[in-house]
Amino acid sequence: MVDSSVSEPWVLGLAASHNGAACLLQGERIVGAIQEERLTRVKRAPLVPSRPFRSLHYLLDAAGIEASAIDAVVLCPLHSPDAAHNDLDRHPELCKTPRYVIPHHYGHAMGAYAQSGFESAMVCVIDAMGSRFADLPRGEQEAVVGLQEEHKGPTIPGCEARELVSFYAAEGGALRPLEKHLGGHDVFDPQGDFRPHMMGFVGLGVMYMSVAQQIFGHWGDSGKLMGLAPFGSANIPRETFWGLEDELFFFSKELHTRIRHDERWPNHERFYADLAASTQRALEEGLEHLWMRLKRHPFSRKLCYAGGVALNSVANEELIRKAHFDEVFIMPAAADCGTAIGAAYHGFLELGGHLRGRAHTHDFWGKDYGVGTPSEETLQAVAKRLCEGDVIAWFQGGSEFGPRALGHRSILADPRRPEARERLNSVVKGREGFRPFAPVVLAEHAARWFEFGSEKRESPFMLRVVPVRKERRSQVPSITHVDGTSRPQTLKREQEATLFRLLEIFNERSAVPMLLNTSFNVMGEPIVETPQEALELARSRDIDYLVLGEQLILTKCD
């Protein structure tokens, strides 16, 4: 039995998924949150609740408590909570801790709502796969639309119905399901042909993920697909991907019949670029249909948005500009790791807590390693070296929880230098040459460089793609994509004062109020977490200097 009389309870939220993570609250305050991959150094590492996982002791160390101090643990599993690997009774330290279990999309939704600061809002979750119909509570089952009866049970091999889209009404700390779309994930080849083939398009998220896997070889390469799309033409009809019947999606198998090989990029370069562009357009048009459905529930003019599809920054801009919500909050940790935050807040509310409507303005939930902060003299030296073309690795404070480097685990460069993009892609990070880079820009100058339209002129979590103003593109070529767009992070002093000051100094020297900002990692590896990892990676790649807290370290020896 959970003791609901604890005024500032310690609550541990667990994202039990392929992108595993944990979040620790004390009362309403996030003490820390970390993805398992940052600690295991294995990209997309799972968190398995039934056995020891590294994020537990990382968070306990950050908080200065023992596992016995935790008042409740909340599990948000992607697969059945009854599965042996989700059994917390088997965990050596958490087996006696009171616990709750929540569905996958609910975890996404609660995380976005709790971080938004909104008292009331619509909440939308869109991803590739959530909980099974059989694992949903009755209220969520009753909100499901258009699901065939045979897909509701757990016994049909390969086609269990799972969450794809969920709409909630959020108010006073409670979520009420409004509408849910589920689909049967078909893992079998309908033609009985076992040559390589794409996964079935059972939802928009799966559609995008499946094409990414076809082109690049892994379902987690959706970000690459978004970057490749502007190089192609959207000449594959939308009907090749999906159609509507009674205003609900059905998905075509035409591409699965047509593409029967596992030849990856850069093979079929022209076709794959066109396929990427066509898939991006099909996603955006599908999302537009969902926004129309969402607005039929006239609950609130504010929107919270999460789920893996919410990391598609190009589609996010369409949402912000065309869906006409008064305010849109997109959760920075929109992918599965973010359900750990939602799980923790669910536990806090179950123990009698109340959300006070405070918006989260940063994503730095990792622990501080005590390396200090650079002096004014060091920042001046860093800005000078950036102006001279050096590449600078940047390590400050606690790490970012989501996938974007927002100024604590970054690699920085001069956006005026076109050669910076090629150097960073091919030499430093080992990425494909078509992949773009994003800037971090002083918020008060952002509208003079980027076209935000008439909407809110900020993007604190690097989740919007907007045009670079035409007259500015030649000044910042390394952060301007082939279609003239960029994905800026707008920065205010109160969000990250040290990086803000560096931008000020760089602007004074160059008349450009931004820097190229990319994550401190190489392709296929997680972002660095510790000072030692930062030092080792900086020395092993073509990086000139590392700013490690208060230290400026030369990493190259000629």
Side-chain angles (χ1 to χ4, degrees):
M1 184 72 179
V2 178
D3 182 2
S4 60
S5 66
V6 181
S7 60
E8 291 283 296
W10 292 97
V11 181
L12 179 67
L14 302 180
S17 173
H18 59 272
N19 186 3
C23 173
L24 183 64
L25 297 184
Q26 184 181 26
E28 190 178 4
R29 180 177 67 91
I30 295 180
V31 175
I34 187 70
Q35 296 182 49
E36 276 288 292
E37 69 168 29
R38 304 290 175 85
L39 306 177
T40 65
R41 309 309 303 159
V42 177
K43 191 72 173 173
R44 305 181 190 91
L47 185 150
V48 181
S50 64
R51 61 176 188 242
F53 45 89
R54 298 192 184 189
S55 52
L56 174 60
H57 282 277
Y58 175 96
L59 294 175
L60 294 177
D61 179 68
I65 63 171
E66 301 292 330
S68 58
I70 297 174
D71 296 292
V73 58
V74 184
L75 181 64
C76 184
L78 180 60
H79 301 294
S80 172
D82 298 326
H85 61 266
N86 284 328
D87 186 0
L88 280 167
D89 286 339
R90 301 185 179 195
H91 192 281
E93 294 176 272
L94 298 175
C95 57
K96 296 182 180 180
T97 308
R99 78 284 306 260
Y100 301 95
V101 178
I102 60 173
H104 188 75
H105 275 201
Y106 179 96
H108 277 302
M110 180 56 75
Y113 172 53
Q115 290 196 297
S116 71
F118 300 153
E119 166 59 26
S120 62
M122 305 289 284
V123 187
C124 178
V125 177
I126 308 175
D127 64 8
M129 178 189 293
S131 294
R132 304 180 308 168
F133 177 86
D135 295 325
L136 297 174
R138 181 177 296 276
E140 300 228 358
Q141 288 183 344
E142 292 173 350
V144 172
V145 297
L147 183 65
Q148 296 177 1
E149 191 65 33
E150 63 265 26
H151 284 167
K152 293 182 180 180
T155 60
I156 307 298
C159 62
E160 290 181 338
R162 290 181 174 272
E163 297 171 303
L164 302 171
V165 178
S166 295
F167 302 154
Y168 295 87
E171 187 170 32
L175 297 180
R176 175 169 56 88
L178 298 172
E179 183 175 317
K180 297 181 75 72
H181 299 204
L182 278 67
H185 278 256
D186 186 359
V187 298
F188 298 106
D189 186 337
Q191 297 185 0
D193 184 342
F194 294 98
R195 288 178 295 172
H197 61 281
M198 290 189 288
M199 295 176 287
F201 295 171
V202 300
L204 293 177
V206 182
M207 174 191 78
Y208 205 88
M209 181 177 72
S210 179
V211 174
Q213 183 177 42
Q214 174 62 40
I215 296 176
F216 300 110
H218 195 280
W219 55 263
D221 286 334
S222 295
K224 294 183 184 182
L225 187 67
M226 185 172 61
L228 179 61
F231 289 89
S233 299
N235 52 22
I236 301 174
R238 187 265 294 163
E239 293 77 12
T240 307
F241 297 88
W242 60 264
L244 293 174
E245 184 175 325
D246 296 329
E247 297 193 359
L248 297 175
F249 289 109
F250 68 88
F251 290 87
S252 172
K253 296 184 182 298
E254 181 177 338
L255 284 171
H256 300 73
T257 303
R258 183 172 162 189
I259 303 172
R260 310 293 297 181
H261 60 78
D262 61 353
E263 297 166 13
R264 312 304 186 194
W265 179 271
N267 293 301
H268 309 287
E269 186 172 335
R270 182 71 262 163
F271 172 70
Y272 275 163
D274 292 345
L275 177 60
S278 302
T279 306
Q280 179 67 34
R281 184 185 64 182
L283 174 70
E284 292 173 18
E285 292 182 1
L287 291 175
E288 185 175 357
H289 172 71
L290 289 176
W291 306 139
M292 292 174 60
R293 289 189 67 92
L294 178 61
K295 294 188 76 172
R296 293 178 188 172
H297 301 277
F299 178 74
S300 174
R301 297 286 299 172
K302 297 181 179 180
L303 174 66
C304 303
Y305 183 29
V309 175
L311 292 176
N312 192 298
S313 308
V314 177
N316 289 348
E317 193 62 21
E318 294 293 303
L319 162 64
I320 291 169
R321 291 182 186 240
K322 294 182 179 179
H324 303 299
F325 286 93
D326 292 343
E327 292 187 68
V328 176
F329 175 81
I330 304 172
M331 186 176 180
D336 278 12
C337 63
T339 63
I341 292 178
Y345 275 104
H346 174 80
F348 167 71
L349 293 166
E350 285 289 328
L351 295 181
H354 299 279
L355 297 177
R356 289 175 284 183
R358 295 179 180 176
H360 291 199
T361 58
H362 70 78
D363 187 45
F364 308 126
W365 302 121
K367 68 180 182 181
D368 193 325
Y369 288 88
V371 295
T373 56
S375 65
E376 176 71 13
E377 180 182 5
T378 298
L379 292 176
Q380 292 285 351
V382 171
K384 180 176 183 295
R385 287 172 169 83
L386 286 165
C387 287
E388 293 172 353
D390 284 343
V391 171
I392 308 287
W394 181 263
F395 184 105
Q396 301 292 318
S399 59
E400 299 90 341
F401 181 54
R404 311 294 190 219
L406 301 174
H408 279 197
R409 301 290 188 275
S410 293
I411 299 173
L412 306 174
D414 187 342
R416 301 172 299 169
R417 296 178 176 270
E419 67 274 14
R421 178 163 50 195
E422 182 177 356
R423 177 183 173 187
L424 285 166
N425 265 336
S426 64
V427 181
V428 176
K429 303 199 70 169
R431 308 193 315 179
E432 297 86 354
F434 65 80
R435 296 179 67 180
F437 288 99
V440 55
V441 57
L442 292 169
E444 62 263 39
H445 294 283
R448 301 209 324 262
W449 290 79
F450 303 98
E451 296 179 13
F452 288 96
S454 59
E455 306 298 333
K456 204 169 186 179
R457 298 180 177 184
E458 63 179 42
S459 179
F461 301 120
M462 207 181 276
L463 286 168
R464 300 177 62 179
V465 168
V466 299
V468 182
R469 293 193 177 276
K470 289 183 179 180
E471 68 275 15
R472 299 286 197 181
R473 292 175 187 176
S474 62
Q475 295 175 259
V476 286
S478 67
I479 60 89
T480 303
H481 203 23
V482 65
D483 59 351
T485 65
S486 193
R487 189 185 66 200
Q489 173 197 357
T490 56
L491 189 68
K492 297 179 180 179
R493 189 184 303 275
E494 57 267 29
Q495 293 168 320
E496 217 303 312
T498 306
L499 182 58
F500 184 91
R501 179 57 186 148
L502 178 61
L503 289 172
E504 285 186 320
I505 299 168
F506 185 82
N507 186 38
E508 292 164 4
R509 290 176 174 269
S510 67
V512 174
M514 72 184 79
L515 289 168
L516 184 155
N517 174 25
T518 187
S519 55
F520 195 173
N521 68 337
V522 297
M523 189 171 74
E525 294 184 6
I527 296 173
V528 299
E529 170 61 25
T530 68
Q532 185 61 36
E533 291 162 3
L535 188 59
E536 290 174 358
L537 183 57
R539 285 176 170 166
S540 69
R541 311 301 290 190
D542 186 26
I543 292 173
D544 299 296
Y545 290 89
L546 167 64
V547 182
L548 183 60
E550 61 187 12
Q551 303 176 75
L552 176 60
I553 301 170
L554 176 66
T555 59
K556 291 174 62 178
C557 296
D558 297 327

